[in-house]
Amino acid sequence: MKPLSFLFSCVLTAVVCIQPGWASNTSNNIVLNENIPDVYTVKKGDTLWDISNHFLATPWLWPKLWQANPEIENPHLIYPGDKLYLVWVDGQPRLQRKPSKIVKVSPEIKVIRSPITTLQSSLVLPYLEEHRLLSDDALADAPRVLGSDDQRKQLSAGDIVWADTVLPLGEEWWVYRPVETYTRKGSKPVTVLKEVAKMKVNAQQAETSTLELQSYRQEINLNDVLLPAPALGASSELYFVPATPPVGVKAQVMGAIGGQSYIATSEVVVLDKGHLDSLQAGHVLQLHHPVTEIEGKKGSYDYKRSPYTGKQFQLAPRGIGEVMVIRAYEAFSLAIVLRSSEPFSSGVSALSPQSTP
């Protein structure tokens, strides 16, 4: 993939702007890669992002290239074995799909085909299933683990777990542990919750319930959070389309979902923008290091400090990769790092490709 580009301007007196010498296409024009075939057969293991990268220099412009066949059921879904044809319509490239033939094995055997997902399910699904962002209000109202009648503080297989709420008999509830809380001006804080166990309600008593352990990743602690098991799981959320977010979206990486200090490719981060900011699953944003400020006299330059001690320089923001939103909440989002040229930490900007850092 070609490197990212940006524009940077300065209007302050006595400030010198320095730009690195790389550039890329951040416009909305479709740029095809070189030496691509007129026909591409979708293989098992392909993802929509793989195919977008195969054809496009800027794969987030996929919706401009893809021409869904209206006569085909679920025209936006692509399956292994389908043939994608590159055609030209009014001077613009378009991809059309010819479905593969379904072979009937016998009347008793039904062949079920699964469409390709946007990203590898092994990368995305664990974060969609095992992590949630919850507002402070929702967290305050959520049922909590009370403990056990033998006063153990860490509970595991064989223990009877009590909850501080009457829960419906037979229902499955997942146990979550608060990991990190993030705040954004003008919005309520959210807390990242990590799933540690799955349980099933087996009895009720007064204002409490008891649950039996179905499976667990870690021992259960007092005050862990209980939430209903997702009704349909998260697998249906894997079918979204790579796309360019609205012009002017400027988010910031709040941190990694796992809490680590340095972040790299294939890890999931929290962004401080959500669907109220027009972000949705599939939107691709470009990562930029913030402006670096240097000042001082020749021979005694140093990174900016207060008070002002001489001539000021600003090193233009540097592009270091891309992230894709995999789930948008109201004011925050989860995004997976598609590419990073170097490890980075919280505070890095995540911008729509058309935005100027």
Side-chain angles (χ1 to χ4, degrees), residues 243-255:
T244 308
V247 177
V249 172
K250 295 188 176 184
Q252 188 177 65
V253 174
M254 306 293 289

Side-chain angles (χ1 to χ4, degrees), residues 60 74 93 115 125 241 314 330 341 356:
W60 49 86
N74 297 323
L125 196 55
V241 177
Q314 289 187 340
E330 186 174 281
S341 58
T356 301

Side-chain angles (χ1 to χ4, degrees), residues 293-297 300 302-312:
E293 296 184 330
I294 298 173
E295 65 181 18
K297 298 178 181 179
S300 60
D302 201 351
Y303 297 108
K304 187 176 179 181
R305 56 188 182 275
S306 184
Y308 168 75
T309 59
K311 189 174 183 180
Q312 292 179 305

Side-chain angles (χ1 to χ4, degrees), residues 23 108 222 314:
E108 293 79 21
L222 274 64
Q314 289 187 340

